[in-house]
């Protein structure tokens, strides 16, 4: 049993949206019972003690917040190296598009990945996953998209399968096959290879949980990615779409037409698309670390989406170019300060709503009976301390699948 200030983030139906996005008030003197890695009971301590009088293993987190594990539903792991020199170029005034045109950006990460032995890649990413675990990430998405060839995209997806066995977190695998046109292959030929070689091979090998694409100037158009998303959906895979990050190209409209699970970025979201998004089953996945790192003055209309009744998730977009930030607590702080979310809205956005984006809301994302015991204990019982103390890691202890993986094995007795 864990005793403390419980933030259950429970919901009758995910995702939480609109006025229901903030989590319900915490249980100030609450407790959770866990057996066989599964949550058995959540409620006021007096009720739980009466219901389970024989419980002996008690972790006392009095004065601390007890949260669901954080779910990072948008990362670009695995990658092989950093791109700090490109960061310096952006500081000097170079635009991301200029750097990408000069074979930086995605193409640079592709070259780094190809040149790095697989065991070095997995060692590098294991260390990053450990860093993320320390700040409370218990589930994460990983993507392909830095392969830019049939062979190397499949290699990246296979590296994800290897990492699933090597890290503590649950991993969801996404094929971002239409991320950028390969410099050595014509655009039309690459799309043909994706549709007739890469995507079928990845599916047949069981490497995919979801499929994603990037609609943007310099990347792909809605008409170029549509067939891939349709086929993935027909094969019961989740579909995602990067849209409206740097310009407005119609990606959001197409994504809503296809009922994708998540529309990601949305910095340039149009008013007419906002209204459709808010009334749809699609979640707006907002990535404040990218907005911050790229010093973008145009920002997604997060407050308007929420106020219109929409569903919002928050993720790191962790990548070596435009969002080299792995911490969900820091990302929550950025969401509060840049996008005007409340701390309670940000909590729902990185737990139950992010779990919904990954198709895992029935298993994780809240502290509810029957769900997997992914639990965080903070060093405070005040949720606002997360965005208030930006840069501080508030996560004192982390439980994954009912086992403490960060922090002491015992916290004392009630």
């Amino acid at each position: 049993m864990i005793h403390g200030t419980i933030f259950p983030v429970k919901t009758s139906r995910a995702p939480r949206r609109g006025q229901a996005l903030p989590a319900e008030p915490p249980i100030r003197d609450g407790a959770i019972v866990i057996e066989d890695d599964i949550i058995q009971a959540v409620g006021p301590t007096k009720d739980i003690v009466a219901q389970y009088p024989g419980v002996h293993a008690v972790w006392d987190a009095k004065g601390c917040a007890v949260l669901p594990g954080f779910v990072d539903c948008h990362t670009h792991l695995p990658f092989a190296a950093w791109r700090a020199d490109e960061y310096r170029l952006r500081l000097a005034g170079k635009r991301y598009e200029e750097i990408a045109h000069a074979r930086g950006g995605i193409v640079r990460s592709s070259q780094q990945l190809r040149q790095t032995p697989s065991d070095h890649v997995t060692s590098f990413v294991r260390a990053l996953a450990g860093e993320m675990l320390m700040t409370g990430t218990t589930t994460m998405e990983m993507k392909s998209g830095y392969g830019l060839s049939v062979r190397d995209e499949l290699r990246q997806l296979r590296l994800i399968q290897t990492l699933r066995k090597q890290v503590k977190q649950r991993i969801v695998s996404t094929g971002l096959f239409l991320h950028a046109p390969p410099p050595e292959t014509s655009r039309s030929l690459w799309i043909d290879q994706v549709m007739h070689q890469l995507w079928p091979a990845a599916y047949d090998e069981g490497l995919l949980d979801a499929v994603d694409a990037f609609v943007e100037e310099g990347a792909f158009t809605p008409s170029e990615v549509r067939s891939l998303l349709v086929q993935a959906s027909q094969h019961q895979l989740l579909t995602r779409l990067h849209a409206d990050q740097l310009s407005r190209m119609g990606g959001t409209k197409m994504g809503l037409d296809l009922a994708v699970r998540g529309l990601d970025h949305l910095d340039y979201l149009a008013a007419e698309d906002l209204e459709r998004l808010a009334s749809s089953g699609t979640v707006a996945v907002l990535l404040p670390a990218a907005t911050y790192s790229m010093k973008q003055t145009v920002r997604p209309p997060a407050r308007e989406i929420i106020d219109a009744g929409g569903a919002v998730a928050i993720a790191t977009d962790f990548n070596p170019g435009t969002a080299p930030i792995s911490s969900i607590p820091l990302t929550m702080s950025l969401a509060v300060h840049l996008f005007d979310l409340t701390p309670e809205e940000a909590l729902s956005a990185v737990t139950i709503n992010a779990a919904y984006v990954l198709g895992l809301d029935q298993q994780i994302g809240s502290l509810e009976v029957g769900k997997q015991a992914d639990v965080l204990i903070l060093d405070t019982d005040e949720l606002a301390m997360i965005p208030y103390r930006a840069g501080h890691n508030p996560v004192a202890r982390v439980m994954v699948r009912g086992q403490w993986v960060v922090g002491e094995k015992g916290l004392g007795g009630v």
Side-chain angles (χ1 to χ4, degrees):
M1 183 169 74
I2 302 173
H3 164 253
T5 301
I6 312 295
F7 289 78
V9 204
K10 63 183 180 181
T11 183
S12 58
R13 182 180 179 183
R16 299 178 73 104
R17 56 193 316 121
Q19 293 182 349
L21 181 60
E24 71 283 0
I27 307 169
R28 287 292 172 187
D29 184 3
I32 306 174
V33 175
I34 297 166
E35 293 178 3
D36 299 324
D37 307 343
I38 301 298
I39 297 171
Q40 304 294 328
V42 182
T45 301
K46 61 181 179 59
D47 296 343
I48 298 300
V49 170
Q51 186 179 355
Y52 290 87
V55 171
H56 299 293
V58 177
W59 285 270
D60 187 4
K62 184 178 180 181
C64 300
V66 181
L67 312 179
F70 296 142
V71 179
D72 196 341
C73 65
H74 184 135
T75 86
H76 286 268
L77 292 163
F79 53 86
W82 301 106
R83 297 184 347 231
D85 53 342
E86 293 181 13
Y87 170 68
R88 283 190 173 275
L89 291 175
R90 291 206 311 276
L91 290 177
K94 287 278 189 181
R95 296 175 67 244
Y96 174 79
E97 295 91 333
E98 296 177 86
I99 296 169
H101 185 71
R103 297 178 72 91
I106 295 165
V107 171
R108 174 88 175 285
S109 281
S110 174
Q111 293 170 339
Q112 291 170 332
L113 188 65
R114 291 181 189 184
Q115 294 167 359
T116 306
S118 293
D119 59 340
H120 291 194
V121 176
T122 54
S123 176
F124 180 71
V125 176
R126 281 200 311 272
L128 296 177
E131 177 183 294
M132 297 168 78
L133 192 68
M134 294 293 291
T135 54
T137 298
T138 56
T139 296
M140 72 176 79
E141 184 228 30
M142 292 188 180
K143 299 181 190 290
S144 72
Y146 288 144
L148 302 188
S149 73
V150 172
R151 181 191 66 185
D152 291 304
E153 287 287 312
L154 290 172
R155 175 186 178 232
Q156 198 175 6
L157 290 171
R158 290 169 185 144
L159 287 172
I160 293 173
Q161 299 305 309
T162 298
L163 286 161
R164 275 180 159 158
K165 303 172 185 175
Q166 297 181 350
V167 304
K168 300 290 186 182
Q169 294 98 328
R170 181 195 294 249
I171 295 175
V172 170
S173 177
T174 300
L176 179 56
F177 303 131
L178 295 176
H179 191 197
E184 67 277 8
T185 305
S186 74
R187 186 187 200 87
S188 60
L189 177 58
W190 176 240
I191 294 171
D192 184 74
Q193 289 177 338
V194 167
M195 295 303 300
H196 297 103
Q197 298 178 45
L198 174 53
W199 134 251
Y203 179 81
D204 289 344
E205 198 173 324
L207 300 176
L208 297 174
D209 300 307
V211 168
D212 197 351
F214 188 20
V215 171
E216 187 54 77
E217 292 180 5
F220 297 94
T221 67
S223 61
E224 288 173 328
V225 308
R226 184 183 183 94
S227 293
L228 174 63
L229 297 178
V230 168
Q231 286 198 24
S233 181
Q234 290 173 345
H235 285 76
Q236 285 71 55
L237 293 175
L238 294 176
T239 52
R240 307 274 300 278
L241 191 64
H242 290 54
D244 293 340
Q245 180 184 8
L246 303 173
S247 63
R248 195 175 293 163
M249 286 187 56
T252 295
K253 180 182 183 301
M254 184 202 65
L256 292 172
D257 289 343
L258 298 181
V260 297
R261 181 61 67 104
L263 281 166
D264 301 38
H265 286 292
L266 303 182
D267 296 71
Y268 283 80
L269 181 66
E272 60 269 23
D273 291 334
L274 188 156
E275 294 178 7
R276 284 191 64 200
L277 174 63
S279 61
S280 75
T282 298
V283 176
V285 182
L286 307 182
L287 306 169
T291 302
Y292 165 79
S293 295
M294 296 181 73
K295 300 197 292 186
Q296 289 182 230
T297 56
V298 177
R299 297 170 184 174
R303 190 73 263 152
E304 289 90 336
I305 296 170
I306 296 167
D307 292 344
V312 167
I314 299 293
T316 63
D317 191 21
F318 186 30
N319 73 78
T322 60
I325 291 174
S326 66
S327 165
I328 287 285
L330 178 55
T331 302
M332 291 172 68
S333 183
L334 293 172
V336 169
H337 289 278
L338 297 181
F339 296 170
D340 295 326
L341 271 69
T342 68
E344 290 75 18
E345 289 170 337
L347 177 61
S348 292
V350 299
T351 53
I352 189 63
N353 281 13
Y356 175 82
V357 171
L358 299 182
L360 297 174
D361 52 290
Q362 296 299 307
Q363 302 171 50
I364 60 170
S366 60
L367 302 178
E368 297 184 78
V369 173
K371 288 198 172 182
Q372 180 175 300
D374 291 351
V375 182
L376 309 180
I377 297 178
L378 304 188
D379 60 10
T380 174
D381 65 356
E382 174 52 66
L383 193 64
M385 290 293 283
I386 298 177
Y388 171 63
R389 295 196 65 201
H392 167 70
N393 179 19
V395 177
R397 293 172 175 84
V398 180
M399 174 181 284
V400 178
R401 300 182 183 90
Q403 302 296 316
W404 295 112
V405 294
V406 174
E408 300 172 10
K409 297 300 180 182
L411 309 180
V414 173

